[in-house]
Amino acid sequence: LSENGGGTGTFVSLIVLLYKNGSLKQIGNMLIDDRPRIQSLTIEDGKIILDALVHNIGDAMATPTLQTNWVFRLLNGQLTLTGFSSSVQGGANRSITIDAPVDGQSVSGIMEFKGTMPVAPFENNLRLAIYDLAGNLLSETGFMVEAEDAGMPAIFNNTIMLPEIPSGSQVRIELYDLSMADGSLIAMDSVLVE
């Protein structure tokens, strides 16, 4: 959905409608950018995948240059961003891949958390957050990765402590990288465990 209030801005949002019992109901929305270039929008395996060029720091409003890939899921009836990657035109892909645990895995107490990144984050530091399915933040902390040097690929194989959660409940563990320049999201991956 594109909105223009009479000025130069054209604000584009992803609006999600769910068809249930013969009617449509809006269940979520997410602002993408002012004048992005939407390249594709698909629904695959219960995920909404959006590819778009959005504005990077210093971009002219007519020419966004940041290639982004957004992955959304409906969790507990809410639209939730579960993955994000980005790359400046001609630059390296900034992404996070969580290899373990996997979606749906049963976990408790202290668990192993493994994965990779094609480019290490600033000072090899990410943020790790744990949410319940209602979107409530249960825990947040720094998370270190290993890389040979700045800008090189990174790996992580850390143990994390899970907060107390009722048996049979699901939580979403999210690992994300934020820009030191403006706090914007650079990359994110998440996993749903019980």
Side-chain angles (χ1 to χ4, degrees), residues 27 73-80 132-136 170 192:
I27 57 167
R73 290 174 65 181
L74 295 180
L75 299 177
N76 201 33
Q78 297 179 7
L79 181 65
T80 306
D132 65 17
L133 286 191
N136 298 309
Q170 289 187 314
L192 195 64

Side-chain angles (χ1 to χ4, degrees), residues 5-168:
T8 58
T10 302
F11 299 93
V12 177
S13 297
L14 173 68
I15 308 294
V16 178
L17 303 171
L18 182 64
Y19 183 76
K20 190 173 183 180
N21 299 328
S23 63
L24 288 172
K25 179 181 178 184
Q26 181 179 333
I27 57 167
N29 65 71
M30 175 71 72
L31 176 66
I32 304 303
D33 196 19
D34 176 6
R35 291 171 269 178
R37 293 191 182 154
I38 304 299
Q39 297 166 315
S40 68
L41 178 64
T42 58
I43 300 175
E44 301 172 11
D45 300 323
K47 297 176 183 176
I48 301 168
I49 302 167
L50 172 70
D51 290 312
L53 277 174
V54 299
H55 292 89
N56 200 6
I57 297 172
D59 282 352
M61 293 311 293
T63 54
T65 63
L66 187 64
Q67 180 66 52
T68 59
N69 174 267
W70 311 58
V71 179
F72 299 90
R73 290 174 65 181
L74 295 180
L75 299 177
N76 201 33
Q78 297 179 7
L79 181 65
T80 306
L81 181 64
T82 58
F84 183 85
S85 63
S86 64
S87 61
V88 178
Q89 288 180 337
N93 180 39
R94 301 296 298 267
S95 63
I96 300 169
T97 301
I98 298 171
D99 296 321
V102 296
D103 265 352
Q105 184 173 333
S106 293
V107 297
S108 64
I110 297 175
M111 57 167 268
E112 198 170 39
F113 207 69
K114 297 184 196 180
T116 60
M117 299 178 69
V119 177
F122 180 72
E123 295 186 344
N124 291 339
N125 195 16
L126 298 172
R127 294 299 294 170
L128 181 130
I130 302 175
Y131 296 90
D132 65 17
L133 286 191
N136 298 309
L137 180 64
L138 304 176
S139 173
E140 186 174 30
T141 187
F143 187 89
M144 296 299 293
V145 302
E146 296 177 27
E148 287 187 23
D149 205 351
M152 299 294 289
I155 62 167
F156 50 92
N157 185 359
N158 302 347
T159 55
I160 63 171
M161 174 71 78
L162 292 173
E164 291 289 327
I165 54 173
S167 180

